[in-house]
Amino acid sequence: METTSAMRVIAAAQTAPIGGDVHANIKQHVAMMQAAARHGVQLLVFPELSLTGYEPSLAPKLAVHADDDTTLLLLQPLREQAAMSGMTAVVGLPLSLPGRPGCVFIGALVLEPNGGVCVYTKQHLAPSEASVFEVGMGGAHAQVAGQQVAVAICYDTAHASHPAAAADIGASIYAAGIWSTPEEVDMIKARFEGHALRHHLTVVVANYGGPTAGGAPSGGGSAIWSALGTLVVKAPKSGVSLVVATHVGYQTWSMSAFVLKEIESCVHNNR
């Protein structure tokens, strides 16, 4: 349910990844976080597997241990930006977990402004993912400005039990990183509108705006819905964008959408 709190500005980052190039994608993420910080964003959600691109064939060699010193060093530019901006960022990458040698999970890391890192692993795999990834265990929900934020990854959201569980634990924001194709746009819109309305959740969805999965097109359309099921703001079908919603009153948000030319330049310069 939606509650009164200091949460004012939330955003979805629509990115164009460079498949398998984690360092280049980190640069893009930092640029997006800097742009979001200029608009006072407190919660920024990136797409599924955003740091690698949605590249299942590359995932086993790109998987990292979330609590490993090497991983924390890799993520240091993002963690520093989160701290400087007072922002919580949800980023995606393939993960290995303690006690599960040889297993790869589709993961999301919640980077907190205090330096904390929370881990979430995808609980519901698409049929095409089962040959590469293991079913995840979910994870702790984030606390941002006094509100519970439930994390979701793509196919999680196709299961009605997932947003229902988020609402049951008191989440007011449902933060989903996805990869969807142009053919899935209408289905995705109906799904998230329904989750918002049915469970009184503010829903933030981040999708890719450029090709991934070995060059497959992405559907873009990253968006935010209010807890009334109203579409607040939506990105274009392609390109790098930042969609921002500012809370102005009970269940009411104002909107902004920015096509970020400076980040598109960063993408092209790193190809």
Side-chain angles (χ1 to χ4, degrees):
M1 57 185 291
E2 194 162 308
T3 58
T4 302
S5 81
M7 176 73 83
R8 299 291 300 174
V9 189
I10 59 179
Q14 181 165 297
T15 61
I18 299 172
D21 193 336
V22 176
H23 292 282
N25 291 329
I26 284 176
K27 290 181 182 179
Q28 294 177 34
H29 279 54
V30 169
M32 187 71 84
M33 292 173 72
Q34 291 171 340
R38 292 194 287 273
H39 299 283
V41 170
Q42 295 160 284
L43 172 68
L44 179 60
V45 182
F46 285 89
E48 179 178 22
L49 295 174
S50 61
L51 289 175
T52 60
Y54 184 87
E55 306 289 346
S57 65
L58 302 179
K61 73 175 184 179
L62 295 174
V64 300
H65 292 274
D67 57 354
D68 186 89
D69 288 343
T70 302
T71 302
L72 295 178
L73 182 62
L74 176 71
L75 298 174
Q76 191 62 22
L78 302 179
R79 299 174 70 210
E80 289 178 353
Q81 187 60 50
M84 285 190 294
S85 306
M87 179 190 303
T88 297
V90 184
V91 304
L93 74 173
L95 293 176
S96 300
L97 296 180
R100 300 290 300 275
C103 295
V104 180
F105 300 84
I106 296 178
L109 298 181
V110 181
L111 308 180
E112 300 175 325
N114 64 2
V117 178
C118 299
V119 178
Y120 177 92
T121 51
K122 188 175 184 178
Q123 296 175 276
H124 303 279
L125 299 177
S128 61
E129 296 169 340
S131 62
V132 177
F133 300 104
E134 299 292 329
V135 173
M137 291 73 70
H141 295 286
Q143 286 275 352
V144 182
Q147 290 197 34
Q148 290 257 33
V149 178
V151 176
I153 302 177
C154 206
Y155 207 61
D156 284 338
T157 69
H159 294 258
S161 59
H162 197 271
D168 286 346
I169 58 90
S172 57
I173 296 176
Y174 192 61
I178 70 170
W179 173 57
S180 68
T181 65
E183 294 76 21
E184 297 171 320
V185 168
D186 290 341
M187 175 189 68
I188 292 294
K189 177 181 181 296
R191 177 187 300 170
F192 288 110
E193 181 181 288
H195 291 342
L197 186 59
R198 191 172 299 110
H199 302 292
H200 306 290
L201 293 165
T202 297
V203 176
V204 186
V205 179
N207 190 21
Y208 291 118
T212 189
S218 303
S222 301
I224 298 171
W225 285 264
S226 78
L228 297 175
T230 303
L231 179 64
V232 178
V233 60
K234 184 178 180 180
K237 294 179 180 179
S238 64
V240 177
S241 300
L242 179 71
V243 293
V244 180
T246 302
H247 191 245
V248 295
Y250 178 68
Q251 295 183 345
T252 306
W253 299 80
S254 66
M255 58 169 277
S256 299
F258 308 92
V259 178
L260 300 172
K261 297 299 182 184
E262 67 272 26
I263 297 178
E264 289 186 330
S265 297
C266 177
V267 172
H268 295 306
N269 290 339
N270 283 287
R271 285 198 184 278

